[in-house]
Amino acid sequence: MSSSSSEESNQQSAARELVELPQGHRAITLKWVYKLKRDESGNIVKHKARLVARGFVQQANIDYDEVFALVARMESVRLLLALAAQGGLSIHHMDVKSAFLNGNLKEEVYVRQPQGFVVAGKEGHVLRLRKALYGRKQAPRAWNSKLDVTLKKMGFTQSEHEHAMYQRDGGGSVLLVGVYVDDLIIIGSKPAAVEEFKAEMKGEFLMSDLGMLSFYLGIEVCQGNGAITLRQTRYAKQILKSGGTTMEERLKLSKDSTAEQVDSTRYRRIVGSLRYLVHTRLDLAIAVGFISRFMERPTEEHFQAVKKLLRYVAGMLNYGLRYEQRPNCTDHRITAATSSTTGRARAARNCLISWQSIKQKVVALSSCEYEYIAATTAATQAIWMARLLGELLGREPEAVELKVDSKSALALSKNPVFHKRSKHIHIRYHFTRNCLDDGSIKASNVTIENQLADILTKALGRVRFQELCARIGM
């Protein structure tokens, strides 16, 4: 058993006591789970043995109440990395060892003695848990509450717009911490402040100091040469010669295809893996969204489209996002580009942060209407990002620059009169109009040639596709 497993066992010993099972209570059984932990190159760095409770037998409102734990959104993580890259700051990574074992339990919880650790003469006794255990439904919540209290005790304030992000100012330095369960991304304007925080955390928990951030949630982070690059090369290799584009132009597929059906489980597994790859691969968004529509009853026609996409991924393994250093950057605006059906891309300080390619959930009566609805959906996310960016930079958020390629939709946004072409539109889609009135959004028309969101809404030819990939920083 590894050193981490022995530390975990010590924590478990301090968090339990051997007792007889009280009447009216039931004990949950345990199991050992073995896992290999790998680095960004796929090399084994640790053998882990973890004692896990069979929490699936727990019942809501009887064995547990709250289970939700906050984690940073992927857009927030990318925004944090973009700010660090442009400011020339290093990003550090820490991991809490056996994080869930630190959470304090409020409920009365009993578990069976684990295999290999049954106390002789007390085989019928059970263990009462004082702290959370992996597999328990409430373990994530208990850990998140413990970490939240600890960080606030250290002088951090929780972001109002991203609750999994914390900030501490002091001594002319700013420290930002992003939380994803037990992984901490740390960015500081002064190296000494970062080291001080690491020492504080090591005083509270058993921590792994992973140094400079290089691998996070399956994403490879390359720091150096005045830029930060995000890739998922190793992940892409796990799910596979180049075709030049992700899908054919004017490709038509239908749910009513009469072609031979394929293994739906295999189809869903591949498409699900590709969806995670979109976190750093904007070029895949439209194709992955398209093939995701046929997961209920996939046929050979649909699987051929998946194979073409896999060939493209195989030929573009090292594609990813690049955030370059810009120390004198004074442009703090969020720019949102929007196009129909629905494609949205948002950039902060000329760094691509967020994107989405989805089919609209409402039926529009005209092209103007669905462009208008797409603009509204993009605006809501862009305003949230502008407020978060302003909070991280310690300044008032600047007006969002919204670029729309439909002149009619732009005119509808600026027209305060509800006429026959707009009075039937749901009131929530008039959000953009209100934002234009109060100045939080500045909307302008963009030509088709300069519409970067086109890569999210339609299958493009090779030349146009590669041109847009270069322009968005892939």
PDB file of all heavy atoms in Angstrom, residues 94-110:
ATOM      1  N   MET A  94      -2.302  22.548  -6.116  1.00  0.00           N
ATOM      2  CA  MET A  94      -2.230  21.752  -4.899  1.00  0.00           C
ATOM      3  C   MET A  94      -3.412  20.793  -4.856  1.00  0.00           C
ATOM      4  O   MET A  94      -4.474  21.077  -5.413  1.00  0.00           O
ATOM      5  CB  MET A  94      -2.241  22.641  -3.647  1.00  0.00           C
ATOM      6  CG  MET A  94      -1.012  23.511  -3.472  1.00  0.00           C
ATOM      7  SD  MET A  94      -0.978  24.299  -1.840  1.00  0.00           S
ATOM      8  CE  MET A  94      -0.304  22.960  -0.842  1.00  0.00           C
ATOM      9  N   ASP A  95      -3.181  19.673  -4.195  1.00  0.00           N
ATOM     10  CA  ASP A  95      -4.222  18.657  -4.080  1.00  0.00           C
ATOM     11  C   ASP A  95      -4.336  18.264  -2.614  1.00  0.00           C
ATOM     12  O   ASP A  95      -3.330  18.043  -1.940  1.00  0.00           O
ATOM     13  CB  ASP A  95      -3.858  17.441  -4.946  1.00  0.00           C
ATOM     14  CG  ASP A  95      -4.848  16.314  -4.797  1.00  0.00           C
ATOM     15  OD1 ASP A  95      -5.936  16.413  -5.383  1.00  0.00           O
ATOM     16  OD2 ASP A  95      -4.544  15.350  -4.084  1.00  0.00           O
ATOM     17  N   VAL A  96      -5.568  18.177  -2.120  1.00  0.00           N
ATOM     18  CA  VAL A  96      -5.799  17.768  -0.737  1.00  0.00           C
ATOM     19  C   VAL A  96      -5.843  16.255  -0.677  1.00  0.00           C
ATOM     20  O   VAL A  96      -6.646  15.615  -1.364  1.00  0.00           O
ATOM     21  CB  VAL A  96      -7.116  18.356  -0.194  1.00  0.00           C
ATOM     22  CG1 VAL A  96      -7.270  18.017   1.285  1.00  0.00           C
ATOM     23  CG2 VAL A  96      -7.165  19.859  -0.404  1.00  0.00           C
ATOM     24  N   LYS A  97      -4.980  15.675   0.131  1.00  0.00           N
ATOM     25  CA  LYS A  97      -4.962  14.213   0.255  1.00  0.00           C
ATOM     26  C   LYS A  97      -6.190  13.740   1.032  1.00  0.00           C
ATOM     27  O   LYS A  97      -6.515  14.287   2.088  1.00  0.00           O
ATOM     28  CB  LYS A  97      -3.693  13.757   0.980  1.00  0.00           C
ATOM     29  CG  LYS A  97      -2.407  14.049   0.221  1.00  0.00           C
ATOM     30  CD  LYS A  97      -1.198  13.546   0.998  1.00  0.00           C
ATOM     31  CE  LYS A  97       0.101  13.821   0.250  1.00  0.00           C
ATOM     32  NZ  LYS A  97       1.281  13.343   1.015  1.00  0.00           N
ATOM     33  N   SER A  98      -6.859  12.749   0.474  1.00  0.00           N
ATOM     34  CA  SER A  98      -8.025  12.160   1.147  1.00  0.00           C
ATOM     35  C   SER A  98      -8.987  13.247   1.613  1.00  0.00           C
ATOM     36  O   SER A  98      -9.382  13.301   2.780  1.00  0.00           O
ATOM     37  CB  SER A  98      -7.575  11.316   2.343  1.00  0.00           C
ATOM     38  OG  SER A  98      -6.585  10.393   1.946  1.00  0.00           O
ATOM     39  N   ALA A  99      -9.354  14.119   0.677  1.00  0.00           N
ATOM     40  CA  ALA A  99     -10.127  15.314   1.004  1.00  0.00           C
ATOM     41  C   ALA A  99     -11.413  15.011   1.757  1.00  0.00           C
ATOM     42  O   ALA A  99     -11.736  15.664   2.761  1.00  0.00           O
ATOM     43  CB  ALA A  99     -10.438  16.093  -0.281  1.00  0.00           C
ATOM     44  N   PHE A 100     -12.159  13.995   1.304  1.00  0.00           N
ATOM     45  CA  PHE A 100     -13.468  13.745   1.903  1.00  0.00           C
ATOM     46  C   PHE A 100     -13.386  13.296   3.356  1.00  0.00           C
ATOM     47  O   PHE A 100     -14.373  13.362   4.083  1.00  0.00           O
ATOM     48  CB  PHE A 100     -14.229  12.699   1.079  1.00  0.00           C
ATOM     49  CG  PHE A 100     -14.756  13.222  -0.231  1.00  0.00           C
ATOM     50  CD1 PHE A 100     -14.506  14.519  -0.628  1.00  0.00           C
ATOM     51  CD2 PHE A 100     -15.515  12.414  -1.053  1.00  0.00           C
ATOM     52  CE1 PHE A 100     -14.984  15.007  -1.837  1.00  0.00           C
ATOM     53  CE2 PHE A 100     -16.013  12.893  -2.263  1.00  0.00           C
ATOM     54  CZ  PHE A 100     -15.745  14.191  -2.657  1.00  0.00           C
ATOM     55  N   LEU A 101     -12.217  12.839   3.776  1.00  0.00           N
ATOM     56  CA  LEU A 101     -12.073  12.390   5.167  1.00  0.00           C
ATOM     57  C   LEU A 101     -11.959  13.558   6.133  1.00  0.00           C
ATOM     58  O   LEU A 101     -11.947  13.361   7.349  1.00  0.00           O
ATOM     59  CB  LEU A 101     -10.844  11.487   5.302  1.00  0.00           C
ATOM     60  CG  LEU A 101     -10.781  10.274   4.363  1.00  0.00           C
ATOM     61  CD1 LEU A 101      -9.602   9.402   4.711  1.00  0.00           C
ATOM     62  CD2 LEU A 101     -12.076   9.477   4.412  1.00  0.00           C
ATOM     63  N   ASN A 102     -11.865  14.776   5.615  1.00  0.00           N
ATOM     64  CA  ASN A 102     -11.754  15.960   6.469  1.00  0.00           C
ATOM     65  C   ASN A 102     -13.106  16.546   6.843  1.00  0.00           C
ATOM     66  O   ASN A 102     -13.217  17.341   7.764  1.00  0.00           O
ATOM     67  CB  ASN A 102     -10.928  17.043   5.760  1.00  0.00           C
ATOM     68  CG  ASN A 102      -9.478  16.659   5.622  1.00  0.00           C
ATOM     69  OD1 ASN A 102      -8.713  16.660   6.579  1.00  0.00           O
ATOM     70  ND2 ASN A 102      -9.074  16.294   4.413  1.00  0.00           N
ATOM     71  N   GLY A 103     -14.137  16.195   6.105  1.00  0.00           N
ATOM     72  CA  GLY A 103     -15.457  16.772   6.363  1.00  0.00           C
ATOM     73  C   GLY A 103     -16.092  16.203   7.621  1.00  0.00           C
ATOM     74  O   GLY A 103     -16.084  14.992   7.855  1.00  0.00           O
ATOM     75  N   ASN A 104     -16.640  17.083   8.460  1.00  0.00           N
ATOM     76  CA  ASN A 104     -17.294  16.659   9.696  1.00  0.00           C
ATOM     77  C   ASN A 104     -18.739  16.248   9.424  1.00  0.00           C
ATOM     78  O   ASN A 104     -19.464  16.935   8.705  1.00  0.00           O
ATOM     79  CB  ASN A 104     -17.272  17.789  10.728  1.00  0.00           C
ATOM     80  CG  ASN A 104     -15.858  18.185  11.103  1.00  0.00           C
ATOM     81  OD1 ASN A 104     -14.998  17.331  11.301  1.00  0.00           O
ATOM     82  ND2 ASN A 104     -15.601  19.480  11.198  1.00  0.00           N
ATOM     83  N   LEU A 105     -19.153  15.129  10.008  1.00  0.00           N
ATOM     84  CA  LEU A 105     -20.511  14.629   9.812  1.00  0.00           C
ATOM     85  C   LEU A 105     -21.439  15.140  10.906  1.00  0.00           C
ATOM     86  O   LEU A 105     -21.095  15.108  12.091  1.00  0.00           O
ATOM     87  CB  LEU A 105     -20.529  13.093   9.815  1.00  0.00           C
ATOM     88  CG  LEU A 105     -19.960  12.381   8.588  1.00  0.00           C
ATOM     89  CD1 LEU A 105     -20.002  10.880   8.804  1.00  0.00           C
ATOM     90  CD2 LEU A 105     -20.746  12.751   7.347  1.00  0.00           C
ATOM     91  N   LYS A 106     -22.617  15.584  10.504  1.00  0.00           N
ATOM     92  CA  LYS A 106     -23.637  15.998  11.464  1.00  0.00           C
ATOM     93  C   LYS A 106     -24.550  14.834  11.826  1.00  0.00           C
ATOM     94  O   LYS A 106     -25.105  14.775  12.916  1.00  0.00           O
ATOM     95  CB  LYS A 106     -24.471  17.140  10.866  1.00  0.00           C
ATOM     96  CG  LYS A 106     -23.664  18.387  10.545  1.00  0.00           C
ATOM     97  CD  LYS A 106     -24.542  19.449   9.895  1.00  0.00           C
ATOM     98  CE  LYS A 106     -23.723  20.679   9.532  1.00  0.00           C
ATOM     99  NZ  LYS A 106     -24.556  21.720   8.861  1.00  0.00           N
ATOM    100  N   GLU A 107     -24.712  13.907  10.877  1.00  0.00           N
ATOM    101  CA  GLU A 107     -25.608  12.776  11.102  1.00  0.00           C
ATOM    102  C   GLU A 107     -24.910  11.666  11.901  1.00  0.00           C
ATOM    103  O   GLU A 107     -23.689  11.637  12.006  1.00  0.00           O
ATOM    104  CB  GLU A 107     -26.084  12.188   9.758  1.00  0.00           C
ATOM    105  CG  GLU A 107     -26.785  13.180   8.867  1.00  0.00           C
ATOM    106  CD  GLU A 107     -25.817  13.915   7.954  1.00  0.00           C
ATOM    107  OE1 GLU A 107     -24.589  13.758   8.125  1.00  0.00           O
ATOM    108  OE2 GLU A 107     -26.307  14.644   7.074  1.00  0.00           O
ATOM    109  N   GLU A 108     -25.722  10.754  12.460  1.00  0.00           N
ATOM    110  CA  GLU A 108     -25.206   9.585  13.181  1.00  0.00           C
ATOM    111  C   GLU A 108     -25.058   8.468  12.151  1.00  0.00           C
ATOM    112  O   GLU A 108     -26.056   7.928  11.664  1.00  0.00           O
ATOM    113  CB  GLU A 108     -26.183   9.183  14.291  1.00  0.00           C
ATOM    114  CG  GLU A 108     -25.580   8.270  15.343  1.00  0.00           C
ATOM    115  CD  GLU A 108     -26.507   8.091  16.532  1.00  0.00           C
ATOM    116  OE1 GLU A 108     -27.344   8.980  16.753  1.00  0.00           O
ATOM    117  OE2 GLU A 108     -26.400   7.045  17.214  1.00  0.00           O
ATOM    118  N   VAL A 109     -23.822   8.104  11.826  1.00  0.00           N
ATOM    119  CA  VAL A 109     -23.539   7.176  10.738  1.00  0.00           C
ATOM    120  C   VAL A 109     -22.739   5.981  11.257  1.00  0.00           C
ATOM    121  O   VAL A 109     -21.740   6.155  11.969  1.00  0.00           O
ATOM    122  CB  VAL A 109     -22.752   7.876   9.605  1.00  0.00           C
ATOM    123  CG1 VAL A 109     -22.443   6.902   8.482  1.00  0.00           C
ATOM    124  CG2 VAL A 109     -23.534   9.073   9.068  1.00  0.00           C
ATOM    125  N   TYR A 110     -23.169   4.771  10.843  1.00  0.00           N
ATOM    126  CA  TYR A 110     -22.483   3.555  11.256  1.00  0.00           C
ATOM    127  C   TYR A 110     -22.128   2.736  10.012  1.00  0.00           C
ATOM    128  O   TYR A 110     -22.917   2.663   9.057  1.00  0.00           O
ATOM    129  CB  TYR A 110     -23.374   2.710  12.177  1.00  0.00           C
ATOM    130  CG  TYR A 110     -23.726   3.411  13.462  1.00  0.00           C
ATOM    131  CD1 TYR A 110     -24.903   4.164  13.547  1.00  0.00           C
ATOM    132  CD2 TYR A 110     -22.904   3.333  14.572  1.00  0.00           C
ATOM    133  CE1 TYR A 110     -25.235   4.821  14.723  1.00  0.00           C
ATOM    134  CE2 TYR A 110     -23.228   3.995  15.758  1.00  0.00           C
ATOM    135  CZ  TYR A 110     -24.398   4.734  15.819  1.00  0.00           C
ATOM    136  OH  TYR A 110     -24.723   5.398  16.978  1.00  0.00           O
TER     137      TYR A 110
END
